[in-house]
Amino acid sequence: MPEGDCTHRHAPPGDAVTEAEVEALVRGICFKTGPPATVGVELEWLVHDRRSPRLPVTSARVEAARAVLRTRAPHSAVTVEPGGQLELSSLPAPSLTDCVSAVAADVALVRDALSPLGLTLTGLGADPWRAPTRVLREPRYDAMESWFDRTGEAGRRMMCSTASVQICLDAGYEEPGPLGFARRWRLAHLLGPVLVAAFANSPVQDGRATGWRSTRQAVWAGIDPGRSGAPALDDEPRTAWARHALDAPVMCVRTRDAEDAGATGAVDASGAPDGARWLVPEGLSFRSWVRSGLPRPPTRADLAYHLTTLFPPVRPRGHLELRMVDAQPGEDGWVVPLAVTTALFDDAQASETAYRTVKPLAERAGAAPAPHNALWRDAARHGLTDPELREAAQACFAAALDALPRLGASPEVTAAVAAHADRYVARGRCPADDLLDALDARGALTPGKDVL
């Protein structure tokens, strides 16, 4: 989900950026190179009523949860998404073990805080029962919803009904090789479908099977390609991403009226600054905005916010943010995709094995960018029942298991990865298949402890 609240003051004309400045800024901030040394994770969870998961969780209950969590001071940043999903964003950790330990403690803290409120965290990539309903009423989410509504329901479902495990890794070395940033960028996009298939966990929507093992990934692929698609992989990464960011559509522009309303402290009935209306342009790329200067010249702060409204499966933010994994079942299911991905990127031997394994998948993907091509669609629809993806996943999990001890992973983390490999990968299954097994004869899903 987009970060930042875009609450900068209205910029004077001298702060407007030129097209050349925008390109230089994007190139300078998207890939911060150096030895891979840190790892992080962002965990999104659906929040359900513990006894009746079909029931909506009201904005009042969400606000009560926020109030309680503000008193607990976890290490991770805790935020709430538009539909009431809860997100934990870890600090960069010096090792996989440190990241797992810190985040596991925060997850336990959050679960403990929510329990007296009758709420629980659910690790599913998409809500299986409730319709997408926004509980946060803020100008930026009003603008986002208006923008997405122009092209169908996928945007609302993404905002309000999906959850993921997002893995954050250093960009890598400037130099070529298995740990070089250009190789890691390409590996992320080719490994992405394997991760989608191995961890698919959202086969149900509105109480019934959708035909996709990762409905969440199908939803993301249903968003405008200019916002959800990746740039061309054949181009140099910095150049490709800068061009992509400039040509991507602008989601919203905050106006002077909104700034002035915020400065006076006046608020409307929704709690937003009175008169704080964000413009939602149509057909305006950031490049066009820079060239025209209308409705006002864009600033560096506008560019920073624009970059947070781009949702490709791999997003360069100085580090690499891999965004294609569904939220996982159980209290610690998220550890497995984090560990596997970290091993395949940060261990040179495993990274080379993974790259050789997934490189042939590029031919199947074709020219269309991820996730809008046949390979990514097949991963989301079929999971590891796809023979080629199953074979790739088996090789990648084996390489990760071999590498984890070299990275200093704890025996518990290695055992969790091995258990996932045995339960799912070796059998051509993914967590979504457990949910599909729970469907009744009518193809409907009934809430129960075996599901949650």
Side-chain angles (χ1 to χ4, degrees):
M1 292 300 302
E3 299 85 356
D5 61 3
C6 199
T7 54
H8 55 279
R9 297 299 301 153
H10 185 77
D15 284 350
V17 289
T18 67
E19 190 171 338
E21 288 171 334
V22 169
E23 186 167 353
L25 285 168
V26 175
R27 289 176 60 89
I29 64 176
C30 59
F31 295 93
K32 301 290 187 182
T33 54
T38 60
V39 58
V41 68
E42 298 176 18
L43 303 180
E44 294 174 341
W45 302 86
L46 302 174
V47 177
H48 284 115
D49 182 279
R50 190 171 61 248
R51 292 184 177 180
S52 302
R54 289 179 182 268
L55 294 178
V57 174
T58 64
S59 58
R61 296 182 76 184
V62 170
E63 186 52 46
R66 294 174 80 175
V68 169
L69 291 172
R70 281 194 288 267
T71 69
R72 298 298 182 100
H75 292 91
S76 303
V78 181
T79 54
V80 176
E81 300 294 346
Q85 312 97 305
L86 192 144
E87 178 175 324
L88 280 74
S89 301
S90 77
L91 295 171
S95 71
L96 173 63
T97 297
D98 289 332
C99 183
V100 169
S101 296
V103 176
D106 286 343
V107 172
L109 182 151
V110 170
R111 287 187 181 276
D112 181 65
L114 295 184
S115 182
L117 303 176
L119 299 174
T120 188
L121 300 178
T122 302
L124 288 171
D127 197 300
W129 299 295
R130 301 174 303 185
T133 304
R134 189 155 58 95
V135 299
L136 295 187
R137 294 293 167 183
E138 300 177 9
R140 60 175 169 148
Y141 293 137
D142 292 342
M144 182 185 296
E145 188 174 89
S146 295
W147 195 93
F148 279 129
D149 282 351
R150 292 170 178 168
T151 55
E153 70 166 11
R156 284 198 183 210
R157 286 199 178 271
M158 179 276 289
M159 290 174 63
C160 301
S161 300
T162 64
S164 68
V165 175
Q166 299 176 17
I167 300 141
C168 301
L169 300 168
D170 287 327
Y173 288 103
E174 188 72 29
E175 298 78 13
L179 300 184
F181 83 95
R183 168 69 75 83
R184 286 161 73 89
W185 174 247
R186 187 169 182 82
L187 173 62
H189 288 86
L190 295 178
L191 181 65
V194 178
L195 298 177
V196 170
F199 298 108
N201 188 38
S202 51
V204 177
Q205 181 176 282
D206 300 327
R208 294 187 175 277
T210 63
W212 299 84
R213 281 172 170 78
S214 178
T215 302
R216 173 188 168 275
Q217 186 59 46
V219 166
W220 281 92
I223 297 171
D224 175 71
R227 191 164 304 285
S228 63
L233 284 186
D234 293 336
D235 295 334
E236 192 278 327
R238 289 190 177 98
T239 300
W241 181 250
R243 184 187 306 124
H244 181 77
L246 272 164
D247 291 335
V250 173
M251 177 173 280
C252 58
V253 178
R254 185 161 184 171
T255 65
R256 180 183 292 274
D257 287 344
E259 299 290 353
D260 291 342
T264 64
V267 296
D268 63 18
S270 70
D274 188 22
R277 298 297 177 259
W278 293 22
L279 299 180
V280 184
E282 188 165 3
L284 178 70
S285 68
F286 202 90
R287 190 188 303 276
S288 299
W289 187 11
V290 171
R291 289 177 177 178
S292 69
L294 297 174
R296 61 164 175 78
T299 67
R300 287 191 178 201
D302 291 319
L303 173 62
Y305 184 74
H306 172 67
L307 293 176
T308 70
T309 69
L310 305 182
F311 310 127
V314 183
R315 187 163 64 175
R317 305 183 60 203
H319 59 274
L320 298 182
E321 183 182 81
L322 282 73
R323 305 170 52 84
M324 70 287 296
V325 176
D326 281 357
Q328 294 297 287
E331 294 189 9
D332 57 1
W334 55 272
V335 172
V336 178
L338 173 63
V340 168
T341 307
T342 302
L344 296 179
F345 275 78
D346 287 0
D347 181 86
Q349 182 178 330
S351 182
E352 188 66 25
T353 298
Y355 186 72
R356 289 198 306 267
T357 298
V358 300
K359 187 177 179 181
L361 296 176
E363 181 176 348
R364 181 170 166 186
H372 305 280
N373 61 50
L375 177 63
W376 283 76
R377 287 195 298 271
D378 287 346
R381 184 178 293 278
H382 303 299
L384 294 186
T385 63
D386 182 291
E388 191 174 16
L389 289 169
R390 175 182 179 178
E391 183 178 354
Q394 290 172 339
C396 287
F397 267 73
L401 283 167
D402 186 56
L404 284 170
R406 294 194 293 269
L407 294 178
S410 69
E412 292 78 12
V413 167
T414 302
V417 173
H420 189 101
D422 290 341
R423 179 175 179 177
Y424 296 114
V425 180
R427 303 178 184 183
R429 290 173 61 88
C430 58
D433 291 304
D434 292 343
L435 284 172
L436 292 174
D437 290 345
L439 296 178
D440 63 22
R442 298 172 295 120
L445 183 66
T446 301
K449 294 181 180 179
D450 56 328
V451 174
L452 295 181

